[in-house]
Amino acid sequence: MTETVTLSLDEAANLARAAFLTSGVTDAHADALTATVMAGQADECHSHGLYRVLGCVRSVKEGKVNPVAEPVVTEPAPAIVKVDANYGFSPLAFRTGLPRLVEKAKAQGLAALAINRCFHFSALWPEVEAVAAHGLAALALTPSHAWVAPAGGTKGVFGTNPIAFAWPRPGGFPFVFDFATSAAARGEIELHRRAGKQIPEGWAIDADGQPTTDPTAAMAGAMLTFGGHKGSALSAMVELMAGPLIGDMTSMESMAFDEGAGAAPCHGELILAFDPERFLGADAVNHVARAETLFDAIVGQGARLPSQRRFAARQRTVIDGVTIPKPLYDDIKALLG
Ligand code: NDP
Ligand code: PYC
């Protein structure tokens, strides 16, 4: 059994922020990075919580990430806001572009935020939730590195390419899902390796194209898509919509750009926002209420909504704090010197 360490949310955030600052990122980046990994950890998304501090700091030290990058906003079309992250991390770029995305969606019914040239390491649900907090529905897509074989193939082409969606609900948490189009996130395989555990069958093949449950062999081979050809096609869509459409790298190009450094993937992200009030006018309230009937029909038969586990964790960790493996705590502390 791995020893664990429990920290209050404040203690964990202070630790993360101090570790980020050792890499030379600006205060603005350190704040945005800390908020992102703390959101992940507080919701017990262990693959995208405090564990990501290590990869972010390494990515800066490898000389790939621009630690002082200042995001630059442009508006090439009435419904489009672009943020050039200038090879910095994505959370500050998202934070910078969000207000204009919301304004444009409310003005026109739908709008897109394209983030370019960003190093992306995070879960997408904090972003779609931030959009939904303004009463908007949101969809976010981003590629990563070419670790995932297309259905029927054996070599990495796609990234783990998450898709996240949020639907605002009156007076409560939004409806949110956020998943990799691979059978599991790469971070899950990395956590299994750190914990000395085998991965489930169906997640990956080894370098010879054979099924494997060994995380190290899986990382040297290729990951598999979820749902076979369906996940494969969705993954291709993510590549296209958050790559060529917005003038940014595919997962294959991002991996080549990395040159074996092992940094976070560098590419773009597409976030779409939809305003029910613009689609429906005065009827918006009635139609949004019908969505509640749908959710009732799901939970009414004992099924759960996606993100319900996360939201329960969010409420619990405010009181109980966050618990992480001691080796992870020690690795983060070691960054402080
Ligand atoms: P999971 O398979 O753990 O979860 C996917 C979604 O399904 C979540 O919304 C989850 O909600 C929900 N869910 C899980 N079990 C059930 C159930 N029984 N009934 C209903 N809903 C359920 O996620 P992944 O491993 O695919 O991805 C994890 C994270 O990794 C994501 O946040 C993603 O954004 C991130 N990621 C980021 C990448 C990047 O490039 N930046 C690349 C790949 C992944 P809940 O959380 O409540 O369990
Ligand atoms: O877990 O697959 C992943 C991932 C890739 C980039 C950030 N997270």
Side-chain angles (χ1 to χ4, degrees):
M1 186 97 161
T2 311
E3 202 181 336
T4 58
V5 173
T6 298
L7 303 167
S8 70
L9 293 182
D10 281 348
E11 288 169 336
N14 289 339
L15 175 66
R17 194 169 191 282
F20 285 130
L21 286 171
T22 65
S23 73
V25 295
T26 58
D27 281 349
H29 276 294
D31 288 349
L33 290 165
T34 301
T36 299
V37 298
M38 282 309 299
Q41 196 62 51
D43 279 20
E44 294 181 345
C45 288
H46 297 286
S47 62
H48 290 80
L50 286 169
Y51 167 63
R52 292 286 159 177
V53 172
L54 305 178
C56 288
V57 171
R58 190 176 60 244
S59 297
V60 180
K61 289 186 175 162
E62 284 293 337
K64 288 286 179 186
V65 178
N66 177 359
V68 298
E70 292 192 11
V72 174
V73 179
T74 53
E75 301 189 4
I80 299 174
V81 51
K82 282 191 130 189
V83 179
D84 183 349
N86 276 317
Y87 298 106
F89 286 114
S90 61
L92 184 60
F94 175 77
R95 211 177 243 201
T96 305
L98 177 65
R100 287 300 288 143
L101 173 70
V102 170
E103 283 165 17
K104 283 178 178 291
K106 288 194 178 250
Q108 285 158 134
L110 66 167
L113 168 60
I115 300 176
N116 287 118
R117 301 197 300 167
C118 69
F119 283 84
H120 207 298
F121 65 91
S122 69
L124 299 189
W125 56 258
E127 299 174 345
V128 291
E129 282 188 27
V131 178
H134 296 273
L136 305 172
L139 191 61
L141 318 168
T142 194
S144 58
H145 272 171
W147 296 306
V148 183
T154 57
K155 303 280 178 245
V157 169
F158 301 134
T160 42
N161 296 4
I163 300 176
F165 172 76
W167 175 269
R169 298 181 68 188
F173 290 117
F175 172 88
V176 181
F177 71 74
D178 177 15
F179 52 74
T181 46
S182 45
R186 181 87 167 175
E188 281 296 332
I189 300 184
E190 292 171 12
L191 291 187
H192 277 74
R193 186 179 59 178
R194 281 179 72 91
K197 290 185 185 157
Q198 296 293 105
I199 57 171
E201 286 176 15
W203 281 17
I205 50 180
D206 64 19
D208 299 322
Q210 297 304 312
T212 185
T213 57
D214 174 359
T216 303
M219 291 175 71
M223 297 169 68
L224 298 174
T225 57
F226 86 89
H229 63 282
K230 299 181 184 181
S232 202
L234 285 174
S235 200
M237 177 193 74
V238 174
E239 294 286 341
L240 297 170
M241 297 294 283
L245 178 74
I246 62 168
D248 219 311
M249 285 190 258
T250 63
S251 296
M252 288 195 301
E253 290 164 341
S254 170
M255 201 155 187
F257 175 81
D258 185 62
E259 296 172 310
C266 179
H267 46 70
E269 179 177 1
L270 179 66
I271 299 125
L272 304 175
F274 307 82
D275 185 359
E277 287 190 16
R278 278 280 162 182
F279 275 79
L280 299 163
D283 269 352
V285 175
N286 298 331
H287 289 293
V288 169
R290 287 172 48 239
E292 295 304 309
T293 310
L294 178 76
F295 301 137
D296 289 347
I298 297 171
V299 296
Q301 55 180 287
R304 79 155 163 103
L305 297 180
S307 300
Q308 215 170 298
R309 177 199 64 82
R310 275 196 307 106
F311 295 144
R314 189 178 302 178
Q315 290 172 316
R316 194 175 56 249
T317 56
V318 171
I319 297 159
D320 295 347
V322 296
T323 299
I324 59 172
K326 182 151 188 312
L328 172 59
Y329 176 75
D330 291 341
D331 285 350
I332 298 174
K333 284 286 274 189
L335 295 173
L336 307 182

